[in-house]
Amino acid sequence: MDLTTKIILIVLFVFFATLSIFFIINPSLISIFPGAGFTEKEMYEWRLRTIIPSLYLTICYFIYRFFAGKNPTSTLWPIYIVITSFAITQFIAFFFMGISVTQILCFLITIGTAFALRMADLKRSRQIIGRF
């Protein structure tokens, strides 16, 4: 695994682990992301339109893969699917919530992360296939 992939995965791990802990202990502690420019109501709507649907899309995708008899190609594949689902829901939210600089920046970071994870997954898949 190259350095870029490791850095991206470490940042994602720390970010999601921190948010998970805060949301489990006291969800109101992070009612607004610092610097996002959202009001508490807008942040709530953004979560409803992006984070929750991306989780559901990811679950639907893996249910489909189960019935299709397909397994993930590498351990990065599920992470890539979650990030891709999040990018899709962010794009759709642009049409319902309007567009802000913060949303565009978050979307571009998500797209960049998805691209980097896809490239790392392809590289890892080639390594796995090359062993057999």
Side-chain angles (χ1 to χ4, degrees):
M1 195 177 319
D2 64 340
L3 183 61
T4 306
T5 304
K6 286 181 182 179
I7 290 171
I8 287 172
L9 290 174
I10 289 169
V11 169
L12 286 174
F13 180 85
V14 170
F15 178 74
F16 289 125
T18 303
L19 284 180
S20 296
I21 291 168
F22 278 124
F23 280 119
I24 290 169
I25 295 172
N26 188 355
S28 63
L29 289 175
I30 307 179
S31 58
I32 300 173
F33 285 128
F38 286 150
T39 65
E40 192 169 330
K41 183 180 177 183
E42 288 171 330
M43 191 69 208
Y44 176 78
E45 181 182 357
W46 187 79
R47 275 191 212 121
L48 284 178
R49 291 188 186 271
T50 61
I51 296 172
I52 295 170
S54 68
L55 171 68
Y56 293 159
L57 279 174
T58 303
I59 292 168
C60 289
Y61 175 80
F62 283 106
I63 290 171
Y64 160 76
R65 294 225 10 143
F66 171 78
F67 285 118
K70 298 179 180 180
N71 292 322
T73 56
S74 77
T75 54
L76 289 172
W77 186 253
I79 301 167
Y80 165 72
I81 293 300
V82 169
I83 297 298
T84 302
S85 296
F86 186 51
I88 291 167
T89 58
Q90 283 180 348
F91 178 75
I92 293 169
F94 285 144
F95 298 105
F96 295 100
M97 292 188 62
I99 299 173
S100 72
V101 173
T102 306
Q103 283 178 293
I104 293 171
L105 183 62
C106 186
F107 179 70
L108 292 175
I109 290 170
T110 304
I111 293 294
T113 303
F115 177 77
L117 288 172
R118 181 64 180 139
M119 293 299 108
D121 174 66
L122 286 172
K123 182 178 177 183
R124 182 70 180 130
S125 296
R126 287 186 198 117
Q127 291 172 345
I128 292 170
I129 292 171
R131 288 185 193 170
F132 296 106

